[in-house]
Amino acid sequence: MIFMDDLDVKILMYIQDNFPIEEDPYSKIAEDLKIDKEVLIERIKYLYKNKYIIKIIPKFTESYYSNHSRVLVGMRVDPSSIMDVAQVINGYDNISHNYERDHYFNIWFTVISEDLEEIKKIVDEISNHKGVIDYVVLPSKKLLKLDTEFEVKI
């Protein structure tokens, strides 16, 4: 069993909504949390290794995405291939919100790009991966941004 302590929770809560935009963000986080930067880095590595953190990416405002196209993709993946396909999906910087669901399409994710051809290329590459049975691409018609924050408890 993998454990998190109070410090891990504080780190997750801090970086989820307060990640600093500066030359050395980890020094700022460590200072704010009153811990050594080396301790912070080791904790983040631990959280990443144990899948509490998948990736750290910026969260942009609607105006940033105004010239971008976005699609929601649902894929039906053989259950024995879900982890392999999810790893492929997570390798793309253009992809966010990758979730497994109990549904005919059992993996859902979003693809965002300024270039529709790039979106098509990404979806084609993933859909040709072993274990992908079927998929649906749902283009976004209107952007509705919800700010979701997850309360972390141990």
PDB file of all heavy atoms in Angstrom, residues 29-40:
ATOM      1  N   ILE A  29       7.882  27.443  -3.815  1.00  0.00           N
ATOM      2  CA  ILE A  29       6.973  26.505  -3.144  1.00  0.00           C
ATOM      3  C   ILE A  29       7.586  26.047  -1.820  1.00  0.00           C
ATOM      4  O   ILE A  29       6.917  26.034  -0.786  1.00  0.00           O
ATOM      5  CB  ILE A  29       6.658  25.291  -4.047  1.00  0.00           C
ATOM      6  CG1 ILE A  29       5.902  25.738  -5.296  1.00  0.00           C
ATOM      7  CG2 ILE A  29       5.865  24.235  -3.276  1.00  0.00           C
ATOM      8  CD1 ILE A  29       5.816  24.669  -6.379  1.00  0.00           C
ATOM      9  N   ALA A  30       8.863  25.668  -1.861  1.00  0.00           N
ATOM     10  CA  ALA A  30       9.536  25.210  -0.642  1.00  0.00           C
ATOM     11  C   ALA A  30       9.542  26.298   0.425  1.00  0.00           C
ATOM     12  O   ALA A  30       9.269  26.031   1.600  1.00  0.00           O
ATOM     13  CB  ALA A  30      10.966  24.773  -0.973  1.00  0.00           C
ATOM     14  N   GLU A  31       9.814  27.532  -0.002  1.00  0.00           N
ATOM     15  CA  GLU A  31       9.809  28.654   0.951  1.00  0.00           C
ATOM     16  C   GLU A  31       8.427  28.843   1.563  1.00  0.00           C
ATOM     17  O   GLU A  31       8.285  28.973   2.774  1.00  0.00           O
ATOM     18  CB  GLU A  31      10.234  29.924   0.212  1.00  0.00           C
ATOM     19  CG  GLU A  31      10.214  31.178   1.048  1.00  0.00           C
ATOM     20  CD  GLU A  31      10.530  32.424   0.223  1.00  0.00           C
ATOM     21  OE1 GLU A  31      11.296  32.338  -0.741  1.00  0.00           O
ATOM     22  OE2 GLU A  31       9.952  33.488   0.563  1.00  0.00           O
ATOM     23  N   ASP A  32       7.394  28.829   0.721  1.00  0.00           N
ATOM     24  CA  ASP A  32       6.030  29.020   1.219  1.00  0.00           C
ATOM     25  C   ASP A  32       5.583  27.892   2.156  1.00  0.00           C
ATOM     26  O   ASP A  32       4.844  28.125   3.110  1.00  0.00           O
ATOM     27  CB  ASP A  32       5.042  29.140   0.057  1.00  0.00           C
ATOM     28  CG  ASP A  32       5.170  30.459  -0.696  1.00  0.00           C
ATOM     29  OD1 ASP A  32       5.943  31.345  -0.248  1.00  0.00           O
ATOM     30  OD2 ASP A  32       4.506  30.603  -1.745  1.00  0.00           O
ATOM     31  N   LEU A  33       6.039  26.676   1.865  1.00  0.00           N
ATOM     32  CA  LEU A  33       5.659  25.534   2.706  1.00  0.00           C
ATOM     33  C   LEU A  33       6.626  25.322   3.867  1.00  0.00           C
ATOM     34  O   LEU A  33       6.440  24.406   4.673  1.00  0.00           O
ATOM     35  CB  LEU A  33       5.570  24.258   1.851  1.00  0.00           C
ATOM     36  CG  LEU A  33       4.463  24.233   0.795  1.00  0.00           C
ATOM     37  CD1 LEU A  33       4.536  22.945  -0.021  1.00  0.00           C
ATOM     38  CD2 LEU A  33       3.089  24.397   1.423  1.00  0.00           C
ATOM     39  N   LYS A  34       7.677  26.156   3.904  1.00  0.00           N
ATOM     40  CA  LYS A  34       8.666  26.110   4.983  1.00  0.00           C
ATOM     41  C   LYS A  34       9.361  24.744   5.072  1.00  0.00           C
ATOM     42  O   LYS A  34       9.489  24.145   6.158  1.00  0.00           O
ATOM     43  CB  LYS A  34       8.034  26.502   6.313  1.00  0.00           C
ATOM     44  CG  LYS A  34       7.518  27.935   6.312  1.00  0.00           C
ATOM     45  CD  LYS A  34       6.820  28.279   7.599  1.00  0.00           C
ATOM     46  CE  LYS A  34       6.305  29.685   7.692  1.00  0.00           C
ATOM     47  NZ  LYS A  34       5.879  30.394   6.536  1.00  0.00           N
ATOM     48  N   ILE A  35       9.797  24.265   3.890  1.00  0.00           N
ATOM     49  CA  ILE A  35      10.573  23.021   3.819  1.00  0.00           C
ATOM     50  C   ILE A  35      11.768  23.250   2.896  1.00  0.00           C
ATOM     51  O   ILE A  35      11.796  24.219   2.133  1.00  0.00           O
ATOM     52  CB  ILE A  35       9.724  21.831   3.305  1.00  0.00           C
ATOM     53  CG1 ILE A  35       9.169  22.110   1.897  1.00  0.00           C
ATOM     54  CG2 ILE A  35       8.607  21.491   4.283  1.00  0.00           C
ATOM     55  CD1 ILE A  35       8.449  20.930   1.267  1.00  0.00           C
ATOM     56  N   ASP A  36      12.738  22.361   2.940  1.00  0.00           N
ATOM     57  CA  ASP A  36      13.883  22.454   2.041  1.00  0.00           C
ATOM     58  C   ASP A  36      13.456  22.096   0.623  1.00  0.00           C
ATOM     59  O   ASP A  36      12.606  21.205   0.419  1.00  0.00           O
ATOM     60  CB  ASP A  36      14.989  21.483   2.465  1.00  0.00           C
ATOM     61  CG  ASP A  36      15.695  21.909   3.746  1.00  0.00           C
ATOM     62  OD1 ASP A  36      15.690  23.122   4.044  1.00  0.00           O
ATOM     63  OD2 ASP A  36      16.225  21.012   4.426  1.00  0.00           O
ATOM     64  N   LYS A  37      14.063  22.761  -0.339  1.00  0.00           N
ATOM     65  CA  LYS A  37      13.746  22.496  -1.742  1.00  0.00           C
ATOM     66  C   LYS A  37      14.022  21.031  -2.099  1.00  0.00           C
ATOM     67  O   LYS A  37      13.247  20.410  -2.833  1.00  0.00           O
ATOM     68  CB  LYS A  37      14.565  23.426  -2.641  1.00  0.00           C
ATOM     69  CG  LYS A  37      14.299  23.232  -4.119  1.00  0.00           C
ATOM     70  CD  LYS A  37      15.125  24.200  -4.941  1.00  0.00           C
ATOM     71  CE  LYS A  37      15.016  23.925  -6.419  1.00  0.00           C
ATOM     72  NZ  LYS A  37      15.858  24.839  -7.209  1.00  0.00           N
ATOM     73  N   GLU A  38      15.087  20.454  -1.566  1.00  0.00           N
ATOM     74  CA  GLU A  38      15.433  19.063  -1.859  1.00  0.00           C
ATOM     75  C   GLU A  38      14.343  18.113  -1.352  1.00  0.00           C
ATOM     76  O   GLU A  38      14.006  17.128  -2.002  1.00  0.00           O
ATOM     77  CB  GLU A  38      16.789  18.692  -1.240  1.00  0.00           C
ATOM     78  CG  GLU A  38      17.969  19.420  -1.851  1.00  0.00           C
ATOM     79  CD  GLU A  38      18.095  20.895  -1.430  1.00  0.00           C
ATOM     80  OE1 GLU A  38      17.585  21.278  -0.336  1.00  0.00           O
ATOM     81  OE2 GLU A  38      18.661  21.673  -2.212  1.00  0.00           O
ATOM     82  N   VAL A  39      13.785  18.437  -0.192  1.00  0.00           N
ATOM     83  CA  VAL A  39      12.688  17.630   0.364  1.00  0.00           C
ATOM     84  C   VAL A  39      11.468  17.728  -0.552  1.00  0.00           C
ATOM     85  O   VAL A  39      10.824  16.724  -0.868  1.00  0.00           O
ATOM     86  CB  VAL A  39      12.333  18.087   1.807  1.00  0.00           C
ATOM     87  CG1 VAL A  39      11.050  17.428   2.296  1.00  0.00           C
ATOM     88  CG2 VAL A  39      13.487  17.800   2.747  1.00  0.00           C
ATOM     89  N   LEU A  40      11.169  18.944  -1.001  1.00  0.00           N
ATOM     90  CA  LEU A  40      10.039  19.147  -1.911  1.00  0.00           C
ATOM     91  C   LEU A  40      10.205  18.312  -3.178  1.00  0.00           C
ATOM     92  O   LEU A  40       9.281  17.598  -3.591  1.00  0.00           O
ATOM     93  CB  LEU A  40       9.903  20.631  -2.272  1.00  0.00           C
ATOM     94  CG  LEU A  40       8.863  20.948  -3.349  1.00  0.00           C
ATOM     95  CD1 LEU A  40       7.451  20.722  -2.818  1.00  0.00           C
ATOM     96  CD2 LEU A  40       9.043  22.366  -3.861  1.00  0.00           C
TER      97      LEU A  40
END
